[in-house]
Amino acid sequence: MVMNDYKVCFESRQASLLGRKEVLTGKAKFGIFGDGKELPQVAMAKAFREGDFRSGYYRDQTFMMASGLHTVQEFFAQLYANTSVEAEPASAGRMMNGHFATRTLNEDGTWKELKKLKNSSADISPTAGQMLRLVGLAHASKYYRDNRELIGENLFSENGNEIAWGTIGNASTSEGHFFEAINAAGVLKVPMIISVWDDEYGISVHAKYQTTKQNISEILKGFELNDKGEGFNIYRVNGWDYPELVRVYEAAEKEAREKHIPAIVHVKELTQPQGHSTSGSHERYKSKERLQWELENDCVLKFRQWILSSGLTTEQELNRLEEDAKIFVNVAKKSAWENYLAPIKNDIAEACVMMEQLASVSANGENIRKLAADLRKITEPVRKDMMVAMDKALRISYGENHIYRNELIEFRQQQIETNKERYSSYLYSNSAASAIKATEVNPEYSEESKTVDGREIMQAFFDKVLEKDPRVFAFGEDVGKIGDVNQGFAGLQEKYGETRVFDTGIRELTIIGQGLGAAMRGLRPIAEIQYLDYLLYALQPLSDDLATLQYRTKGGQKAPLIVRTRGHRLEGIWHSGSPMGMILNSLRGMYILTPRNMTQAAGFYNTMLKSDEPALIIECLNGYRLKEKMPDNLGEYTVIPGKPEVLRTGTDVTIITYGSSCRIAEEAALHLAEMNVHCELIDVQSLLPFDTGHSIVESLKKTNKVIFLDEDVQGGASAFMMQQVLEIQNGYKWLDCAPRTLTAKDHRPAYATDGDYFSKSNAEQLVELVMDMMHEQNPLQFPRFI
Ligand SMILES: Cc1ncc(C[n+]2csc(CCOP(=O)(O)OP(=O)(O)O)c2C)c(N)n1
Ligand SMILES: [Mg+2]
């Protein structure tokens, strides 16, 4: 066992050393390695079991190797950014090296039996970002333990015995994310073990600029376990001390697994033998004394000394093991490189043949032949070299009409398609459970259908969902006891218990993380952000983590989290926002759904809960008390994302909008009808995806005039909708006059009621704008309105 640990450490170190060389010789672009952190990671791996999850960062290669989740060959494949899932299963070349992930999904997007596997959630680069989903991965264990309905028959948990293992660098603990996650896990009492790899530096910045008292476990003392069982087990251990590391991880594991007591393991006195990354050298900022100290206290060296002094083996045996390990790593590196290069060279060989064929008939054959010859000469080519050469050949032969030129164009097109799959696939789910493939079921009404407040529809819907599906739970600020600030969950905590519907602290980052991690373990969380304006706090994990998850693992992982919030049309700088442009631009990879009322909202929740994709659903803040008819088939009917609805037909102007602005548009349309101007009003319903069937352009064919309306700033969601309709759907062809947008002002709306009127788009402005367009098109029939 000990010798195997040493072997893993040594191989991992060897991989780091060779990895750096690969960057310096230009075979890889960049490298960040786990050298100097090997020993605690083999100790941690000993306590890591099937069903457990890691949520860590770029130093963890040794842990991954020791857990059997990452081979040395895969290490090099990622360094070279091999785009094949088989060669580089973490991300298929989409993430830089040191970003680890296991594949939690089968090829068809369904879950593997994760309780039988050791799992790693997919890393992200933003420091401390991994702490948020860690809370959710740990919370899932608590949920599986507490929710008796799920026991036994799931793919994810054995009685909630799984631990979520976090790792973080000492300097990254300066982030608010870290402190928020620690506090949340302490409150939740979840099985989460955080290891801090402390090497005293964060790139060049020393601990004295990072951490009060330069000691993270010292300042976390207030979180230490008390006699009521609240808080964390806090351990401090030197990173070069093998027996102590093994003992600490065993102790932490036992308490976390059995009693769900979280732990912080502060691993001190670690080093960086090769500095932070390949981007610079640590000699620039570390003193001679520090560099000397690091040499002497290198954890692999100390491990070696300890093995020898304990008499576990002889120097000779160790030397032999090391020689074998060096050969092993070298061979793995070589075959990773050959695997990476072979398919590229094949494509290039084909391209060269095509170009040479063209050269044989072209007037500029000489130049084209030279292009092919130069391309063949590149010893370490990338596909871009081939694409650029082919484009040049096509430029040189421009205007010539040969079959070989057409064949080259066709080959180039095939390459573009293949590379789309390589580089642009899996932004959304490809599986059978993709939300856009959902079956449409319309709401049904009968004579008995009652007219109620919108909020009552939400409440009745959530009741149905909680009853039907034990994997669903809802949480957020004020969601538990009072059932959210607008009573969507009123009475449901009493009915379903605190496991299913519960309050959280005011901590938007970890609300998202909690949902994200739980969704990665087969649960169906509905995480609430109280108001759309506060989504800014939650944006980082949504954008960097949730929205990129399927993409960055090329379909290897998913987290079908539903984020619930409410926005638009209230008053004040922080209670009326509609920053849809910001959301649209940062959350590609998620569904952005903007239902105009609660009936549509419930339909969207239903669709998303049946799907395997993440969504942000924005309810209308001013819609909870508006009257709607309660559908009879609540919990059955669906609203399909990407399918606009025509709310009113007309022949004069098309108004395209969503959410609360639908009501503004309806009001304006009524006024305009009295002036004999007939608007066609379209609710796009979902911004992402946007009108997948290109139906909106059909309206433009009829009206030849279009307005994009919302209450975002200028150039926000209105610009997005305009681009989709005018460019993607070729809507510009059908316009008789300039397209318009009507948006809010660029400043946030003032609190005063009049401030709101004068800051946001409203029905009066819309009437004016429509009349302006009517006048522009036909001044005789429609004289200037104002
Ligand atoms: C949010 C964010 N800010 C800055 C960076 C750039 N960055 C990458 S690593 C790093 C230092 C991290 O130091 P530490 O947490 O101690 O980990 P170590 O590399 O020392 O193991 C910084 C500043 C980043 N990735 N993310
Ligand atoms: Mg550090």
Side-chain angles (χ1 to χ4, degrees):
M1 286 296 273
V2 176
M3 292 317 291
N4 194 56
D5 285 347
Y6 183 73
K7 182 165 159 272
V8 174
C9 286
F10 192 88
E11 283 174 1
S12 174
R13 173 64 60 90
Q14 203 54 31
S16 299
L17 297 174
L18 293 190
R20 186 177 171 86
K21 284 200 186 124
E22 293 304 272
V23 177
L24 300 184
T25 58
K27 278 194 171 136
K29 285 195 288 194
F30 171 79
I32 190 148
F33 304 114
D35 48 310
K37 316 284 187 295
E38 292 91 344
L39 196 57
Q41 295 185 22
V42 291
M44 178 169 130
K46 284 174 176 302
F48 190 70
R49 300 267 173 273
E50 284 74 18
D52 286 1
F53 258 89
R54 163 190 171 275
S55 182
Y57 80 116
Y58 50 78
R59 297 285 180 218
D60 292 347
Q61 71 196 45
T62 316
F63 170 80
M64 295 297 287
M65 289 172 183
S67 303
L69 303 178
H70 191 61
T71 66
V72 175
Q73 188 161 330
E74 285 165 358
F75 169 93
F76 284 102
Q78 193 178 46
L79 191 66
Y80 304 136
N82 191 321
T83 53
S84 127
V85 166
E86 289 69 38
E88 205 278 87
S91 82
R94 293 177 178 196
M95 291 197 283
M96 64 166 52
N97 91 303
H99 288 56
F100 307 105
T102 55
R103 300 191 79 76
T104 61
L105 304 180
N106 299 308
E107 267 184 47
D108 64 0
T110 56
W111 293 109
K112 292 182 180 170
E113 191 168 7
L114 300 188
K115 65 181 171 193
K116 300 244 171 81
L117 300 172
K118 294 180 175 178
N119 307 290
S120 171
S121 59
D123 293 358
I124 57 175
S125 294
T127 47
Q130 72 273 24
M131 290 294 104
L132 310 177
R133 88 177 90 84
L134 180 66
V135 174
L137 292 167
H139 174 243
S141 288
K142 180 185 163 97
Y143 189 86
Y144 281 111
R145 192 173 278 188
D146 292 349
N147 188 347
R148 312 307 297 177
E149 279 184 83
L150 286 172
I151 286 185
E153 45 155 298
N154 70 75
L155 301 171
F156 308 93
S157 177
E158 222 44 272
N159 194 34
N161 290 342
E162 303 75 22
I163 295 173
W165 300 80
T167 67
I168 185 165
N170 58 297
S172 302
T173 66
S174 310
E175 297 277 12
H177 291 47
F178 174 78
F179 289 95
E180 193 182 305
I182 294 274
N183 182 52
V187 170
L188 292 167
K189 298 189 181 148
V190 288
M192 154 171 151
I193 299 178
I194 297 181
S195 296
V196 181
W197 309 142
D198 189 347
D199 57 13
E200 281 191 35
Y201 284 85
I203 310 186
S204 64
V205 182
H206 189 257
K208 69 181 170 209
Y209 302 106
Q210 301 279 2
T211 309
T212 309
K213 303 180 186 173
Q214 303 184 36
N215 188 331
I216 189 66
S217 56
E218 177 72 19
I219 61 170
L220 291 177
K221 264 185 178 161
F223 286 94
E224 198 131 27
L225 197 70
N226 65 13
D227 50 14
K228 291 190 216 142
E230 296 163 327
F232 286 74
N233 281 311
I234 300 183
Y235 304 89
R236 293 167 192 87
V237 55
N238 287 323
W240 43 262
D241 186 347
Y242 178 76
E244 188 58 12
L245 283 163
V246 173
R247 190 194 66 75
V248 161
Y249 279 108
E250 252 175 40
E253 183 215 354
K254 196 164 167 5
E255 293 262 292
R257 209 176 288 288
E258 288 171 13
K259 300 190 223 149
H260 279 192
I261 297 172
I264 294 158
V265 183
H266 183 188
V267 183
K268 304 207 268 192
E269 301 207 357
L270 289 170
T271 66
Q272 290 181 336
Q274 303 188 103
H276 176 77
S277 73
T278 52
S279 298
S281 123
H282 58 157
E283 279 85 14
R284 283 182 302 160
Y285 48 80
K286 285 180 186 165
S287 67
K288 275 207 182 80
E289 294 71 36
R290 171 76 196 182
L291 289 165
Q292 186 57 33
W293 180 90
E294 289 202 12
L295 273 181
E296 288 161 13
N297 290 279
D298 181 314
C299 64
V300 180
L301 178 70
K302 288 265 216 181
F303 190 20
R304 191 181 205 280
Q305 289 164 352
W306 176 83
I307 290 172
L308 291 176
S309 67
S310 312
L312 288 173
T313 190
T314 60
E315 176 102 41
Q316 213 176 14
E317 277 299 314
L318 269 189
N319 286 342
R320 190 171 311 145
L321 181 152
E322 288 168 359
E323 281 317 305
D324 288 350
K326 280 185 189 168
I327 294 168
F328 169 75
V329 173
N330 235 324
V331 169
K333 183 193 80 167
K334 282 215 174 84
S335 63
W337 177 250
E338 280 156 19
N339 269 345
Y340 160 76
L341 208 55
I344 298 178
K345 287 211 153 166
N346 281 343
D347 284 351
I348 287 182
E350 227 181 305
C352 287
V353 170
M354 297 276 188
M355 288 196 284
E356 280 155 1
Q357 278 179 344
L358 174 58
S360 70
V361 291
S362 168
N364 276 311
E366 195 76 347
N367 289 336
I368 296 175
R369 204 165 290 118
K370 182 167 183 318
L371 272 178
D374 288 348
L375 187 55
R376 278 188 206 279
K377 265 190 240 150
I378 305 176
T379 48
E380 288 160 15
V382 289
R383 288 193 173 85
K384 182 182 164 190
D385 297 324
M386 168 185 79
M387 299 304 291
V388 169
M390 286 194 294
D391 272 36
K392 195 160 182 191
L394 291 172
R395 287 200 301 273
I396 295 175
S397 61
Y398 177 61
E400 296 180 11
N401 193 12
H402 311 296
I403 182 172
Y404 291 139
R405 190 169 187 279
N406 293 341
E407 279 180 15
L408 185 63
I409 289 174
E410 203 175 302
F411 177 75
R412 175 185 174 276
Q413 198 51 37
Q414 278 166 11
Q415 286 293 321
I416 288 174
E417 289 306 315
T418 316
N419 282 296
K420 256 190 211 160
E421 204 283 322
R422 233 172 237 135
Y423 292 109
S424 302
S425 59
Y426 286 99
L427 181 58
Y428 291 90
S429 171
N430 284 4
S431 81
S434 151
I436 44 169
K437 295 182 192 151
T439 321
E440 185 162 15
V441 180
N442 290 320
E444 285 166 11
Y445 300 95
S446 59
E447 303 250 302
E448 286 90 69
S449 306
K450 279 191 283 188
T451 299
V452 296
D453 281 355
R455 69 181 169 82
E456 293 176 74
I457 293 182
M458 292 317 305
Q459 196 272 356
F461 169 76
F462 287 133
D463 189 0
K464 281 254 151 51
V465 165
L466 287 162
E467 186 181 359
K468 217 165 36 181
D469 189 346
R471 300 170 308 160
V472 174
F473 63 95
F475 64 103
E477 296 152 20
D478 302 289
V479 171
K481 195 156 186 93
I482 64 167
D484 96 44
V485 286
N486 294 93
Q487 290 143 46
F489 286 94
L492 298 182
Q493 184 180 68
E494 278 151 53
K495 189 164 172 186
Y496 296 98
E498 281 194 41
T499 299
R500 308 286 305 283
V501 181
F502 56 91
D503 287 318
T504 67
I506 306 175
R507 49 174 183 79
E508 285 78 11
L509 285 169
T510 46
I511 286 174
I512 299 304
Q514 197 171 346
L516 171 47
M520 287 177 128
R521 294 187 60 198
L523 297 171
R524 296 311 311 256
I526 300 175
E528 177 161 323
I529 297 297
Q530 198 159 65
Y531 296 102
L532 183 57
D533 307 73
Y534 304 124
L535 193 78
L536 265 171
Y537 275 52
L539 203 59
Q540 189 275 323
L542 287 176
S543 180
D544 287 326
D545 203 345
L546 184 61
T548 66
L549 183 63
Q550 286 246 354
Y551 176 79
R552 75 181 192 268
T553 57
K554 203 180 180 194
Q557 296 192 1
K558 64 180 174 184
L561 168 65
I562 297 180
V563 179
R564 177 184 190 221
T565 189
R566 48 188 73 85
H568 325 302
R569 298 240 80 91
L570 221 70
E571 284 148 12
I573 293 175
W574 290 281
H575 292 89
S576 59
S578 205
M580 303 308 297
M582 168 190 93
I583 292 168
L584 278 169
N585 290 333
S586 55
L587 300 185
R588 305 288 163 105
M590 282 183 75
Y591 280 60
I592 310 297
L593 309 178
T594 47
R596 68 179 175 278
N597 58 29
M598 302 305 152
T599 307
Q600 299 305 103
F604 273 142
Y605 281 105
N606 207 24
T607 304
M608 294 317 301
L609 283 168
K610 287 182 207 291
S611 87
D612 64 356
E613 300 192 78
L616 173 67
I617 302 185
I618 303 170
E619 296 166 22
C620 298
L621 238 173
N622 62 356
Y624 295 108
R625 293 187 185 283
L626 298 180
K627 299 292 179 200
E628 292 179 41
K629 213 173 222 192
M630 176 84 85
D632 295 342
N633 57 343
L634 217 49
E636 307 293 327
Y637 74 89
T638 52
V639 175
I640 308 299
K643 213 175 152 207
E645 191 175 330
V646 179
L647 300 182
R648 185 185 176 95
T649 53
T651 48
D652 290 324
V653 180
T654 302
I655 299 170
I656 296 168
T657 190
Y658 58 86
S660 296
S661 295
C662 290
R663 277 192 291 284
I664 302 282
E666 275 172 334
E667 188 193 332
L670 286 178
H671 300 321
L672 286 159
E674 286 165 10
M675 299 168 84
N676 211 19
V677 172
H678 301 286
C679 299
E680 179 134 311
L681 175 52
I682 301 180
D683 175 7
V684 304
Q685 303 212 81
S686 75
L687 288 165
L688 291 179
F690 186 88
D691 189 14
T692 49
H694 292 194
S695 65
I696 293 176
V697 71
E698 298 308 317
S699 175
L700 268 57
K701 290 181 186 172
K702 192 165 57 166
T703 63
N704 314 115
K705 288 186 268 326
V706 66
I707 296 177
F708 299 90
L709 164 74
D710 77 352
E711 53 179 82
D712 192 4
V713 295
Q714 303 177 71
S718 57
F720 171 75
M721 294 193 290
M722 190 188 260
Q723 180 259 344
Q724 291 288 310
V725 174
L726 298 195
E727 184 184 15
I728 308 285
Q729 300 188 13
N730 279 324
Y732 75 94
K733 284 188 182 167
W734 306 94
L735 296 185
D736 282 349
C737 69
R740 310 287 214 274
T741 63
L742 180 57
T743 65
K745 298 272 188 294
D746 283 349
H747 57 79
R748 296 185 184 194
Y751 173 67
T753 308
D754 280 345
D756 189 64
Y757 178 86
F758 289 106
S759 309
K760 286 195 197 151
S761 45
N762 55 48
E764 289 69 27
Q765 290 166 349
L766 186 55
V767 170
E768 193 181 329
L769 190 59
V770 169
M771 292 312 292
D772 193 42
M773 292 171 94
M774 298 307 289
H775 172 73
E776 183 182 325
Q777 200 207 0
N778 190 344
L780 284 181
Q781 194 184 340
F782 295 99
R784 200 167 274 293
F785 170 50
I786 286 168

